[in-house]
Amino acid sequence: MAATEPDRPAAARSTALLALTAAAMALPGMAPSTAQAQDSENVSLEYHRYEEGSRDLSSSYLFVKPKPLEVDSLSLAAQGTLADRIFFGLDYTQDTWSGATPVTTLPHAAIGAQIQSGASIPTYYATNLKRQPVVPNYSIFNGRTYPRVNDSRLADVIASASPETRREISGKIGYRWDSTTASFGAGISDEPDYKSYFINTDGSLDLNQKLTTVNWGASFTYSDIAASLASNTAADFGAYTDQIRLKGTESYLYGSRHDVSANAGVTQILSKDALVAGEIGYTRSAGYLSNPYKATEFAFDDPHQFIDITQLRTVFIKGVLEERPRLRNQWNFDIRYIQYVADTDAALHFDYRFFHDDWGIDAHTFDVSLYQPLGDGWMIVPGARYYTQSAAYFYKPFFLFNQAFPVKLPRNPEVPAQIDFSKVRIQHYSSDERLAGYGTATIELAIDKQLKENLRVELGADYSYRSGQLKLGGGGVQNFADLHSYTVYATLKFDLAGRTGLEDYRNGAAIGGDGQTQDAAAAPASAIAPVPAGVRFTRLLTERGDFAISLHHDYGIQGGDTLHGTDTVSDARIAKLDCGGQDCTRRVAGAYAHSTTLDILYAPVAGWTLQVSPQLVDLHLDETDLGGGGIILPPHPGLGPGGGTIPPNLFHSSAGLGDTGIYVLKQLFGDDGNRIDAAVGLSLPTGSTDKRVNKSSDYLSYFLQPGSGTVDFAPTLTYRGGTGRFAWGAQLGWVERLESSNDAGYRLGDRVQGSVWGSYRVLDWLTASLRGVGTEQGVIHGRFKPHVTPVQNGYKIVNGQPVPIFKNVVQPQTELGPMDQPGSYGGRFGDIGFGVTATVPSGAFAGNRLSVEWLQPVADDANGYQRARTGALSLTWEAAF
Amino acid sequence: MKGGPLKFLLPAAALLCLQACQPVEPWERGNLAKPQMALEPNGTHSALRAHTFATRESASAATSAAGGGCGCN
């Protein structure tokens, strides 16, 4: 494709030739085919978004319609070689989960009964004498009974969890002999409720003149679970009373599990146009394998219950934390076939996988996709997938027992009755729909474009529909569990094979990354020496068509004393502050803000750089109760005696897409040792300012909103200079909000920041920096607007069914502490930054730059009442390719 | 296992062995080296896609990489 273009410049042709040589070296006959992936030296970055469609909630009794599940993922992977035969891989993935998913499944008739009684949770449903669920209309009594309608439907109960972020980092290192490879790896996956630690090994062996490759792998994973049951307090803790303990003021379920996995496979070249790969895998999982956020409904239909003149029976229901077996053996059989289609230069991929486990689940996956090159570096990849599984033997939407409700004695009259499990004949139970029988059909489309010799971009999307009716052989779950879902993604892949970095580096070309070759020639290297990790807008491109990316991660921590201006204040004083007409009851214990920003740079015209900077944020706010007006926690089995003033929730988190910056960068001045650059742009409000407290229409505090909600003007002016090993610089940047308020009713304060730094090149590849930073940010203007909360106000009967009537009540935003007050944001702050920057001097990753900087606060003058800052960490990776 | 996978896999394995007898010389492997013929043309996406499916479905592949987290929601 690119290599056949007639008018490409000589340099590009030689690179293309290099790439072709590299491709030829990757031929199965010329290099170890098994290590195709291990041979390559590349970096790839992917943003991936999964979103579920709205579930059928028409039957549910919900004040606020919850948002469906959304998962934003970011993945960064690098692989390369350290020496001739040593290869490595590094992976980082983060996913942020937010939105609502089912907690349990109920007979729909129980929701009808709940609406009529106005109860906070469903506790029973009625049946007729044939034991069919019915919804009686209790508002009409004809002297003998109530009119009723049959209702055998099922309904999901949906609940939101606080958005939270999982981070996984893993690495591997391996060695390649002539026909054999072996590698070892390890990694950690970390999220608030679940931590996994894993080690793995794999290897391969080429046989039969490299027509056959045998591969194997094994892994061990240990996971610790600490799940808050705050959103599941109505459920009976069932078998887990020993595993549930208080952490702070919330009950947590603790557990652990381990997974051992092994797999072996063969890849066989069948002809010059086809290959096949088969693999067998086995996984043994043991320990706590249940899902702490899922409850199962137990329904008790007492055969001896008294039936009055109405001829209605009553079935009592109770949610119980699900319990799965503590052991699971799983087998996988996978076969893939790839056929080259000579007529169109395409490749057809077929993949069939069979899964079997001793929980009774058999699953089949069929995957087919066509990789069709279109010329000029374009490729289109349509695909389809069909997945079907049978149900686990312990799955039911709910469990019906033909017995009276077995009340656990002695009964505490202050809390709902608990179940005496010694009187229930059941060992394992789950109503998690992922264990039901169903099928899922997926269609996929990806478009791939080779942008430069070593840069590829792929954009893709898929749509899936899950339904019990799609289950192979029929008999799938009812349609309450139907689900639509969507995925979109973008991948950038940099191929580093063939780079001769060291020479480029010595010539200064790689110092600023791609496109700065001309700068290097025009100014000494010191003027474009690395800047500290926390300094932005210093990467400028020169040639038309140049392209670059940088990735920044900032982590700010506020965990010091509470400040009012520059003075430390006591909790007693905060407890006397006015919070919406009442004393404040909470203060911030710690505030933690992560933000990951990707700078995508492109030069549409020589000398002008366009920068687009999307952002993912992950925010945590811990609050301390000041004892002024907490909620009394009732005694609860497994929690010990209750009582005391204890707030219901002390930990809040939020996450998601942040605001997106769009900037234009331009060099204003440059001579032998100095340069001045300007960046002018807008920050667009792509981040939400509508994150709410669970089960409430109140907003989360200002700190926890991922976006500003306003269009902001954000200019920056940067000076850089240097001589020899020394370099210095200064930057002034400010943010001005262009709108008077966002949709939530407020706007953040404007911000001005100035910094001055000096750096010294300690080694050819290592630079140390010292920086002084001053920041001023204004208070928040306006405040969260009052919000309308629908409150149930009776019900009416429509087609025999009770339908709740809501009335709208306007309520002001609840204020619990200074973090809910606009005046307690911003201030004047001073910091000193200590940083180092490493530039890879040679090899495939030459010119890539990794910077770290710690900002140590030295002066705080906080507006209102705020927690003092502990510090901030900045990490920057400037990709060179 | 009710013989399900074996019924499918044994003939496939036999076919594989028969086919493997046909030699493919190194200079005949140009098509096999094309990017669209790789087992995983976009490995990063394949990993994220597999992770998404694994958290929404019961079947998950046994891989040597493991990890993956809760996926409880």
Side-chain angles (χ1 to χ4, degrees), chain A residues 77-350:
Chain A
Q79 47 190 349
T81 51
L82 292 176
D84 232 11
R85 289 173 177 271
I86 300 175
F87 56 89
F88 72 93
L90 287 171
D91 285 279
Y92 171 77
T93 301
Q94 68 172 51
D95 3 275
T96 297
W97 298 68
S98 64
T101 48
V103 174
T104 191
T105 308
L106 289 169
H108 184 253
I111 293 173
Q114 182 196 4
I115 291 170
Q116 295 191 65
S117 66
S120 59
I121 55 166
T123 52
Y124 76 96
Y125 63 92
T127 74
N128 58 24
L129 292 182
K130 293 178 185 168
R131 302 199 177 192
Q132 294 162 326
V134 296
V135 181
N137 182 354
Y138 292 111
S139 58
I140 301 172
F141 185 67
N142 63 10
R144 192 179 62 82
T145 188
Y146 304 101
R148 81 277 309 261
V149 288
N150 283 9
D151 188 355
S152 59
R153 292 174 295 165
L154 296 166
D156 274 336
V157 175
I158 306 284
S160 295
S162 297
E164 56 182 43
T165 299
R166 180 183 78 92
R167 293 189 171 80
E168 180 173 321
I169 188 157
S170 65
K172 77 167 185 178
I173 190 156
Y175 193 84
R176 183 169 53 236
W177 290 269
D178 288 345
S179 58
T180 310
T181 65
S183 71
F184 298 91
I188 297 173
S189 168
D190 180 53
E191 57 195 307
D193 54 357
Y194 200 97
K195 291 179 180 30
S196 288
Y197 312 89
F198 54 95
I199 51 171
N200 54 53
T201 179
D202 53 39
S204 66
L205 172 66
D206 289 324
L207 300 166
N208 192 17
Q209 294 179 317
K210 296 175 180 168
L211 287 171
T212 308
T213 302
V214 179
N215 63 283
W216 62 87
S219 71
F220 174 80
T221 306
Y222 174 81
S223 305
D224 258 332
I225 297 114
S228 165
L229 299 175
S231 63
N232 227 346
T233 46
D236 195 304
F237 291 168
Y240 296 112
T241 47
D242 293 347
Q243 286 177 248
I244 293 170
R245 298 193 295 277
L246 276 175
K247 178 185 168 190
T249 55
E250 283 179 27
S251 49
Y252 273 70
L253 193 153
Y254 293 89
S256 68
R257 64 181 280 176
H258 60 264
D259 300 80
V260 184
S261 186
N263 60 294
V266 181
T267 303
Q268 175 67 46
I269 291 171
L270 299 176
S271 71
K272 62 185 176 57
D273 290 331
L275 61 96
V276 66
E279 191 166 73
I280 295 178
Y282 166 72
T283 302
R284 183 182 190 275
S285 306
Y288 176 73
L289 306 181
S290 301
N291 187 328
Y293 304 121
K294 303 292 179 196
T296 292
E297 295 296 326
F298 281 12
F300 297 98
D301 186 350
D302 183 356
H304 307 299
Q305 66 181 271
F306 172 72
I307 297 167
D308 64 17
I309 184 176
T310 62
Q311 303 287 288
L312 288 168
R313 304 172 59 84
T314 302
V315 181
F316 291 99
I317 58 171
K318 174 80 183 168
V320 180
L321 291 185
E322 67 158 43
E323 186 172 6
R324 307 182 187 188
R326 297 182 66 83
L327 182 66
R328 187 182 188 192
N329 290 292
Q330 303 148 80
W331 292 268
N332 264 294
F333 304 89
D334 185 20
I335 187 150
R336 285 196 258 187
Y337 177 80
I338 302 175
Q339 174 69 49
Y340 179 69
V341 184
D343 290 347
T344 60
D345 191 34
L348 252 176
H349 289 232
F350 298 96

Side-chain angles (χ1 to χ4, degrees), chain A residues 51-58 65-70 100 102 156 158 463 465 479-486:
Chain A
E51 189 176 319
E52 294 188 346
S54 294
R55 292 174 190 257
D56 176 15
L57 300 175
S58 54
K65 195 174 181 186
K67 288 182 180 169
L69 182 72
E70 301 170 352
D156 274 336
I158 306 284
Y463 164 75
Y465 175 56
N479 61 5
F480 72 92
D482 287 1
L483 182 66
H484 302 264
S485 61
Y486 318 82

Side-chain angles (χ1 to χ4, degrees), chain A residues 509-578:
Chain A
I511 286 178
D514 188 64
Q516 295 205 346
T517 315
Q518 309 309 316
D519 286 342
S526 50
I528 52 165
V531 296
V535 176
R536 304 279 307 279
F537 306 112
T538 55
R539 218 174 163 190
L540 281 84
L541 309 177
T542 50
E543 294 297 303
R544 180 171 177 263
D546 278 348
F547 181 87
I549 66 160
S550 303
L551 195 64
H552 306 270
H553 187 89
D554 296 303
Y555 177 40
I557 309 164
Q558 279 177 271
D561 295 328
T562 304
L563 295 179
H564 176 53
T566 54
D567 303 331
T568 303
V569 293
S570 67
D571 287 353
R573 185 164 157 200
I574 294 171
K576 288 185 185 136
L577 296 174
D578 177 49

Side-chain angles (χ1 to χ4, degrees), chain A residues 778-841:
Chain A
V779 297
I780 290 173
H781 300 264
R783 59 180 59 242
F784 282 120
K785 62 188 179 191
H787 27 83
V788 172
T789 304
V791 175
Q792 192 194 355
N793 186 28
Y795 64 92
K796 61 182 176 181
I797 301 294
V798 177
N799 298 329
Q801 295 276 341
V803 175
I805 299 167
F806 292 98
K807 66 173 179 184
N808 287 334
V809 178
V810 178
Q811 290 177 325
Q813 168 75 6
T814 304
E815 287 182 17
L816 293 172
M819 61 282 172
D820 299 317
Q821 301 182 323
S824 286
Y825 284 82
R828 290 141 298 281
F829 308 103
D831 301 83
I832 290 189
F834 305 92
V836 288
T837 298
T839 308
V840 181

